Every structure is written in C-alpha cells, then in structure tokens.
Amino acid sequence: MRFVAGDFADMPAGGDVYVLSRILHDWDDERCREILRHCARAMPDHADLLVVERVLPCDGSVSLATAWDLHMMCNVGGRERHAAHYGRLFADAGLALVGRSPLPLDGNVLHVRKARSASA
C-alpha cells in the first residue's frame, strides 16, 4: 500500500482510492465542480472517491451540519450541503454517489465512483 499526496489541480493519476476530507464545504459550487472534475480525470474506472463531509438533514432535524453551514457561509464563503446537492455536483463532474455511511458528529462518508456513462 502506498499513499500519495496531491492537490486539487494536480491529482495523482491511477490511484485505487481518493479521499477528500472536509474539503468541499470550503468552496462554492463552481469550485467544487472543478475539484471533482480533477478527481474524475485522475481516477481510473475502478477507483473509489471517499468524500468526508457533514450532510444537511432533509427533514429539519437538529444537526451540527446546520450550525456549520451558517459558519461556513459567514466566514469563508463555503457551505454544508444536502446529499442530493452533493449528488448533483458529483454528476456534473462525471461521477455518481453510490453510497453513504454515517460518522460521529453528523459526519458522513460519501462513496463516489465514475458514472457509467463517463467511463463507457
């Protein structure tokens, strides 16, 4: 096993797993699409992208993600998002949300792969 660091514009190609942990919430939608397109270009068809973020609840329930959403919008111009919003950002980059696993403190791991039409 080998770990290789990269950045948004210079993603190492050919990896099996890519991880973006608490990255996308820092940026507006257009910058997120750009970051995700860099990931999609670097990823082989079999690769997984794991995105760790807080996900806003759709039912209005109490969540740390709601407080973080306000903080991100006021302080850095980013935002927390609903799972469907992340799904649209992934789709815009040729990716697909294939799973979601909860983490403590309202965190989630969003499991993403290349969309079938993007790899065909």
Side-chain angles (χ1 to χ4, degrees):
M1 183 180 323
R2 186 171 69 110
F3 296 94
V4 178
D7 66 32
F8 307 150
D10 187 27
M11 288 281 188
D16 293 320
V17 178
Y18 292 79
V19 178
L20 294 176
S21 181
R22 306 289 297 147
I23 300 295
L24 298 179
H25 78 136
D26 287 340
W27 303 100
D28 64 28
D29 286 355
E30 194 49 45
R31 183 66 168 131
C32 286
R33 285 184 194 96
E34 183 181 338
I35 292 166
L36 292 167
R37 284 182 192 118
H38 286 296
C39 291
R41 278 192 294 273
M43 293 168 63
D45 290 343
H46 71 274
D48 294 301
L49 171 61
L50 304 178
V51 177
V52 179
E53 294 287 353
R54 287 190 178 94
V55 175
L56 289 168
C58 291
D59 63 2
S61 61
V62 175
S63 169
L64 284 173
T66 305
W68 274 101
D69 189 35
L70 181 62
H71 170 74
M72 296 307 296
M73 286 189 291
C74 292
N75 294 316
V76 298
R79 62 185 296 185
E80 305 298 336
R81 295 170 173 89
H82 294 96
H85 192 155
Y86 279 113
R88 288 189 301 275
L89 293 173
F90 298 144
D92 290 346
L95 301 166
L97 178 62
V98 297
R100 176 176 159 193
S101 300
L103 294 171
L105 300 174
D106 290 333
N108 284 261
V109 177
L110 304 172
H111 181 189
V112 180
R113 294 199 124 183
K114 282 193 167 183
R116 289 184 192 254
S117 61
S119 62

